[in-house]
Amino acid sequence: MLKIKSIALIFVLATGLILAGCSKQADTFSLPEQSLVVGLASPVTVNPDTTVVYITDYFPTHPQIDSVKAPEAFKVQQGSEIITLIAKSNKIPKLGNLEVFTDSTRYDIILKSSGKMKVPFSFQSNKNYQKVQLKGEFNGWNPNATSLQKNGDQWETTLTLAPGEYQYLIVADGKEMLDPNKEDSVSNNIGGYNSLLEVGKYKNLQKPHLYAKSTNNGHVSIGYENDITNYFVLGQNKILPNSLVELNNNELNITVPEALKHKKRSYIRVFASNDDGISNSVRIPLDKGRIMLDADKLTRTDFEAATIYNVFTDRFNDGNPDNTWKIDDESIHPKANYFGGDIEGIIEKINDGYFSNLGINTLWVSPLVKNPEEAYGMYPNPKTRFSGYHGYWPVSFTQLNPHFGTEEDLKRLVETAHANNMNVLLDFVANHVHEDHPVIKANPDWKTNLYLPDGSLNTENWDSHRLTTWFDTFMPTLDLTKPEVTNMLTDSAVYWIKEYNLDGFRHDATKHVPEIFWRTLTQKLRKEVVIPENRRLYQIGETYGSPELIGGYVNSGQLNAQFDFNVYDALVATLASDKGFEALVNEIQKSLKYYGAQHIMGNITGNQDRARFISYASDALSFDEDAKKAGWTREIKVENPVGYEKLEMLNSIVATIPGLPVIYYGDEIGMVGGNDPDNRRMMRFNNLKKKEQEVKKATAKLLNFRQKALPLIFGDFKVLLLENNQLVYQRRYFDEVVIVALNDSKEEVSINFDDPLSKIQTDYYTLRKTAFKKEKGEIHIKLSPYSYEVITNVKQ
């Protein structure tokens, strides 16, 4: 129950809300006919000192902002391009709102405290080091960002961090090592270990947990666990008036305002907090003002329901023999040359129902731009050069690669996909070009420097020089800090969307591209496509790094999402090594904190830069070997059939946790391989082995179920059981629930856990026909070794 002391806090902090029991007022909620904010305004994470809000992130047409109002804890400085929030003290509310007034309309942007604090750090050593640095999750693994100062035999610095745990390494005179002053170290999930820094109170917190509880005749009840001291309820981007929100008996009761009934798609959003922290958020979709209870109301541009398939064009399907030829150079190993896959081959698989049968509604197509017709690069053993079969060496920004097809082919691909209720995302390369690109030849000053000030090559410095480093000596990185370069390239990106009617982009090497590029691109797309055509686009990026770094690009003004590589790494380590589920659950919870409880990040089964998961899970590869070398020097095949069971488990998790499932081509059948290029074998559609057929059938069942299961699209996430190698979690949306139970051990186990709908009369069934029983508020189920089950009451 809500404590008495909490009532005062709600009056002080919650703008525009009242508690249950206060007098009702008329529904005065209104929205402008055309919102100046595109979509839903993403919350702003507030720093303990200064926070900058970019106006065009939220108002792409950049109107005149009349005034801005923030909580009393902040001083507001309003400029023409940015709004600056300056904390007056260290007592920042965990949750607040920023009121922006323009054109006689108020817009509300949620403010969420980062919870960061000053953390002293010291490293003691009697060795005579000249320079000591830190690299870790807190600085993007960039040692140049954190240097320590010598004080006697101590090296010291002060970090600003939120409560939590952070992996890191000491870098002493350029040599990386574990912190010798720390006893504990943790796996980095790729064969090595890092030291662990624990900050503040972050375990066993009693933060509020919100869930969509019930709905009836235009009213919504949001249930919650643990006390709440502050909350905000928004209709689209405006806080609902007092008359429409009540807090009573551990429920927030909300009346859907009339103004939302005039929109095809709108949302109710709820945020809450207490002394222990900020809750998960709840997002309730509305269809012309009615609470959505039927997934059939979703359209293909409701990207929250997207199921994505990564088509690696050259290695997928050869539909047109006329454009099938290799680069004529004997220095290229056959594995590194063109195989013949093309656009026509993708169209062919759409038409024969391959994707729809698999449960896919969004295709991510690898880059289709023209690449060089010569060999580049070198691998030592076997000695080989490479072709540009992958598409990531652009020599044009707009011309199609003739190996893949024509402009007419691409237009027909998009038309065919849309006719089959599928989206098409194009892989776009913004970071670099090939040295033969006409633009870089004509403008050599448009590239970053290949050499660092000390004369060393600036190649593959992914973290220490991430915005300037080159991928290779023949691939110049574009200097996108120059306005003329960013304007030219963003115009090219907009061209692809407008010319081919694409539904968005997958962006390569996101963290190596300055934020100004992403803001410019997103603003142009909104002005030239989204607003005039009244449609949604989806942009997902690729960034390896900490959740804070990854999440820094995911907001209203930049990208919709990125791939969640940290969850993937934890998945691989958990399932391939039988390590237990705790590390995986921690990563999922961390993602919910940084990206939001209902994020649309990409949960991958694998990708073109990693060895296939089944290679590790079936003992074909070990984590301490060079997976790229292994792929070149020996035949990698499934050594242990248990790898297929573990792959099914991985696919089940990817399909059911918050975020969007992203299937790397071939992972639906258990294709095996080392790292690049062995993980890019030609796709196989026929003569599948029995185990491969079983993986495909299970994956299709999961993905088709996901498209119909609103709990997997808009539901909360809650762990019901976590015991070593067993995990049970739920996704709930009103009276529908999806429960996923996993057993990652070689023994059959019996699992008991609380029935989340024990107070509701409902019937469950299981996707895989595993027997179970309900008894005294619990569910009992027996799971085979290395298996999973989905228990649900979602009607199919």
Side-chain angles (χ1 to χ4, degrees):
M1 296 296 292
L2 191 65
K3 298 178 181 178
I4 296 298
K5 66 177 181 179
S6 304
I7 296 176
L9 284 172
I10 292 178
F11 276 117
V12 172
L13 298 175
T15 305
L17 299 176
I18 65 171
L19 294 176
C22 295
S23 60
K24 285 281 188 178
Q25 301 172 12
D27 176 1
T28 57
F29 182 85
S30 63
L31 293 173
E33 186 172 330
Q34 180 65 52
S35 174
L36 295 177
V37 175
V38 175
L40 298 179
S42 60
V44 172
T45 300
V46 179
N47 297 316
D49 42 24
T50 302
T51 303
V52 173
V53 180
Y54 291 87
I55 293 174
T56 52
D57 281 3
Y58 298 95
F59 302 92
T61 55
H62 202 170
Q64 177 65 43
I65 303 299
D66 298 326
S67 64
V68 178
K69 183 179 179 181
E72 288 296 322
F74 300 99
K75 176 183 177 183
V76 180
Q77 292 182 348
Q78 181 183 340
S80 60
E81 302 289 335
I82 62 173
I83 298 167
T84 305
L85 304 177
I86 303 171
K88 296 178 181 178
S89 70
N90 59 2
K91 294 183 179 180
I92 299 174
K94 288 183 171 61
L95 203 60
N97 75 303
L98 183 69
E99 301 177 25
V100 181
F101 297 87
T102 181
D103 195 25
S104 302
T105 301
R106 190 190 85 220
Y107 297 88
D108 291 294
I109 301 171
I110 293 295
L111 303 177
K112 302 172 72 173
S113 171
S114 68
K116 289 184 176 180
M117 61 185 76
K118 300 292 184 182
V119 180
F121 180 91
S122 63
F123 166 66
Q124 185 174 3
S125 176
N126 55 13
K127 293 186 178 180
N128 189 28
Y129 292 121
Q130 299 300 306
K131 186 176 185 180
V132 176
Q133 301 167 298
L134 293 178
K135 61 179 295 186
E137 291 183 290
F138 42 74
N139 64 4
W141 296 97
N142 177 11
N144 295 332
T146 310
S147 295
L148 281 64
Q149 300 299 314
K150 188 172 177 57
N151 183 9
D153 64 350
Q154 296 266 107
W155 290 83
E156 301 172 341
T157 190
T158 299
L159 304 170
T160 303
L161 301 173
E165 55 184 33
Y166 301 86
Q167 295 186 36
Y168 73 98
L169 291 170
I170 302 288
V171 183
D173 289 343
K175 181 181 178 181
E176 296 180 2
M177 62 182 179
L178 293 171
D179 189 339
N181 302 317
K182 292 276 190 180
E183 293 183 1
D184 295 334
S185 61
V186 295
S187 170
N188 63 5
N189 294 326
I190 54 173
Y193 289 86
N194 295 321
S195 294
L196 190 67
L197 176 65
E198 296 186 276
V199 176
K201 181 182 177 184
Y202 66 97
K203 294 180 178 179
N204 302 317
L205 298 177
Q206 300 299 308
K207 297 186 292 185
H209 180 83
L210 309 179
Y211 60 96
K213 186 176 182 180
S214 62
T215 177
N216 181 43
N217 195 27
H219 297 271
V220 177
S221 172
I222 304 298
Y224 65 89
E225 299 169 4
N226 303 323
D227 292 343
I228 63 174
T229 56
N230 188 17
Y231 62 88
F232 292 87
V233 181
L234 291 85
Q236 284 300 92
N237 299 305
K238 189 173 181 181
I239 289 175
L240 298 189
N242 300 340
S243 58
L244 299 181
V245 182
E246 287 185 337
L247 187 145
N248 188 25
N249 295 327
N250 278 33
E251 294 181 8
L252 274 169
N253 297 307
I254 304 163
T255 301
V256 177
E258 288 290 328
L260 295 180
K261 297 179 180 179
H262 303 293
K263 296 180 175 295
K264 166 61 179 172
R265 181 72 71 249
S266 59
Y267 299 88
I268 297 288
R269 291 187 290 164
V270 185
F271 302 83
S273 66
N274 65 13
D275 291 344
D276 268 2
I278 301 172
S279 74
N280 61 308
S281 60
V282 169
R283 185 188 306 168
I284 308 297
L286 308 177
D287 190 72
K288 295 183 178 178
R290 294 180 178 271
I291 308 300
M292 187 178 292
L293 299 174
D294 184 356
D296 288 341
K297 297 288 186 181
L298 295 167
T299 69
R300 65 177 174 81
T301 57
D302 283 305
F303 291 109
E304 295 85 354
T307 48
I308 304 174
Y309 190 94
N310 178 192
V311 182
F312 200 97
T313 307
D314 178 64
R315 305 300 167 91
F316 188 66
N317 187 36
D318 188 352
N320 182 4
D322 291 341
N323 59 29
T324 301
W325 75 91
K326 300 181 183 297
I327 302 300
D328 187 14
D329 190 322
E330 292 182 355
S331 70
I332 304 176
H333 190 284
K335 281 187 176 183
N337 215 324
Y338 283 89
F339 280 17
D342 51 28
I343 296 171
E344 186 65 41
I346 303 172
I347 296 172
E348 183 179 286
K349 300 316 289 184
I350 295 175
N351 285 330
D352 74 13
Y354 185 82
F355 299 113
S356 57
N357 291 337
L358 189 59
I360 296 298
N361 63 17
T362 300
L363 303 179
W364 150 27
V365 181
S366 61
L368 298 176
V369 290
K370 189 175 181 181
N371 271 231
E373 289 292 310
E374 295 86 29
Y376 286 87
M378 178 60 68
Y379 189 80
N381 182 26
K383 192 172 183 179
T384 181
R385 301 175 79 192
F386 300 84
S387 73
Y389 71 92
H390 41 69
Y392 291 98
W393 298 346
V395 295
S396 173
F397 291 130
T398 57
Q399 291 179 305
L400 282 168
N401 189 331
H403 291 267
F404 299 151
T406 65
E407 295 179 4
E408 290 72 24
D409 291 334
L410 180 54
K411 289 178 180 179
R412 188 157 51 89
L413 167 62
V414 177
E415 290 170 0
T416 305
H418 288 175
N420 285 270
N421 204 31
M422 295 180 193
N423 302 299
V424 180
L425 310 177
L426 181 66
D427 205 321
F428 190 81
V429 182
N431 173 75
H432 58 268
V433 294
H434 187 272
E435 64 184 7
D436 285 345
H437 199 298
V439 164
I440 211 68
K441 284 186 171 183
N443 303 277
D445 61 323
W446 281 14
K447 61 179 180 285
T448 62
N449 291 325
L450 178 57
Y451 293 93
L452 296 170
D454 63 4
S456 61
L457 275 174
N458 186 17
T459 55
E460 299 187 9
N461 290 311
W462 309 128
D463 300 312
S464 57
H465 298 280
R466 66 181 175 89
L467 294 177
T468 60
T469 195
W470 289 28
F471 277 57
D472 210 327
T473 55
F474 58 88
M475 278 193 286
T477 287
L478 294 169
D479 186 355
L480 292 161
T481 62
K482 296 179 183 291
E484 62 270 29
V485 185
T486 280
N487 280 324
M488 174 274 301
L489 193 52
T490 51
D491 284 345
S492 297
V494 172
Y495 161 83
W496 284 96
I497 297 291
K498 295 175 72 172
E499 179 68 15
Y500 296 103
N501 197 26
L502 293 160
D503 303 291
F505 292 117
R506 178 269 186 185
H507 289 294
D508 189 56
T510 299
K511 77 173 185 180
H512 301 296
V513 175
E515 289 186 11
I516 185 61
F517 175 85
W518 304 121
R519 287 196 155 91
T520 303
L521 172 59
T522 298
Q523 186 179 10
K524 284 184 178 180
L525 287 173
R526 286 174 165 178
K527 284 183 174 181
E528 299 185 37
V529 180
V530 174
I531 295 174
E533 298 181 19
N534 190 29
R535 67 183 178 112
R536 293 180 74 185
L537 298 175
Y538 178 72
Q539 297 188 82
I540 185 168
E542 175 206 35
T543 291
Y544 293 93
S546 69
E548 184 168 14
L549 175 65
I550 294 169
Y553 296 89
V554 180
N555 53 58
S556 286
Q558 298 187 70
L559 305 180
N560 303 97
Q562 296 216 63
F563 299 113
D564 199 335
F565 292 115
N566 294 306
V567 164
Y568 176 71
D569 287 342
L571 263 172
V572 174
T574 295
L575 297 178
S577 304
D578 298 349
K579 286 188 174 182
F581 284 104
E582 184 176 1
L584 172 61
V585 170
N586 288 342
E587 282 299 336
I588 293 173
Q589 298 287 10
K590 197 180 293 185
S591 294
L592 299 179
K593 172 186 174 182
Y594 281 96
Y595 316 136
Q598 293 181 317
H599 64 71
I600 50 176
M601 300 282 284
N603 295 316
I604 64 172
T605 62
N607 76 358
Q608 72 268 27
D609 296 322
R610 303 287 188 92
R612 295 274 185 175
F613 165 77
I614 201 170
S615 302
Y616 293 111
S618 69
D619 302 323
L621 276 177
S622 64
F623 287 107
D624 58 1
E625 70 175 313
D626 184 337
K628 186 184 289 286
K629 181 179 179 181
W632 279 112
T633 56
R634 71 172 194 265
E635 181 186 359
I636 295 177
K637 57 184 179 180
V638 174
E639 300 290 347
N640 187 337
V642 76
Y644 291 106
E645 276 72 46
K646 292 188 174 187
L647 177 58
E648 285 192 28
M649 292 177 69
L650 180 141
N651 289 349
S652 75
I653 296 171
V654 163
T656 58
I657 61 175
L660 308 183
V662 183
I663 309 298
Y664 180 47
Y665 86 101
D667 282 344
E668 73 272 28
I669 62 171
M671 279 179 63
V672 70
N675 206 332
D676 164 23
D678 196 39
N679 57 357
R680 305 173 182 180
R681 302 179 186 185
M682 197 69 184
M683 180 63 186
R684 294 187 296 110
F685 299 100
N686 303 310
N687 301 316
L688 301 181
K689 300 174 185 176
K690 181 180 178 182
K691 285 288 187 180
E692 293 173 330
Q693 293 175 19
E694 290 174 355
V695 173
K696 182 181 175 184
K697 182 178 179 181
T699 304
K701 193 163 193 175
L702 282 163
L703 296 178
N704 279 287
F705 172 69
R706 184 187 186 277
Q707 290 190 24
K708 300 295 184 181
L710 289 175
L712 296 181
I713 301 170
F714 295 108
D716 69 336
F717 176 87
K718 182 182 178 183
V719 174
L720 301 178
L721 180 144
L722 174 58
E723 293 181 358
N724 299 319
N725 294 89
Q726 285 77 51
L727 172 65
V728 181
Y729 57 85
Q730 74 165 43
R731 305 288 306 280
R732 178 176 176 177
Y733 180 77
F734 295 115
D735 290 343
E736 291 188 334
V737 69
V738 175
I739 302 166
V740 182
L742 300 117
N743 173 30
D744 186 31
S745 74
K746 60 183 179 181
E747 307 292 340
E748 182 181 68
V749 297
S750 296
I751 299 177
N752 307 324
F753 52 90
D754 291 338
D755 178 358
L757 298 182
S758 60
K759 296 180 181 180
I760 300 173
Q761 183 62 40
T762 189
D763 293 324
Y764 290 121
Y765 67 95
T766 53
L767 283 191
R768 311 186 81 191
K769 310 302 182 185
T770 306
F772 71 98
K773 64 179 180 179
K774 295 197 300 179
E775 188 175 73
K776 296 179 180 179
E778 286 190 335
I779 294 176
H780 306 265
I781 191 167
K782 188 177 289 186
L783 293 180
S784 303
Y786 302 116
S787 71
Y788 72 92
E789 184 55 276
V790 177
I791 306 168
T792 183
N793 66 342
V794 175
K795 293 180 174 60
Q796 293 295 292

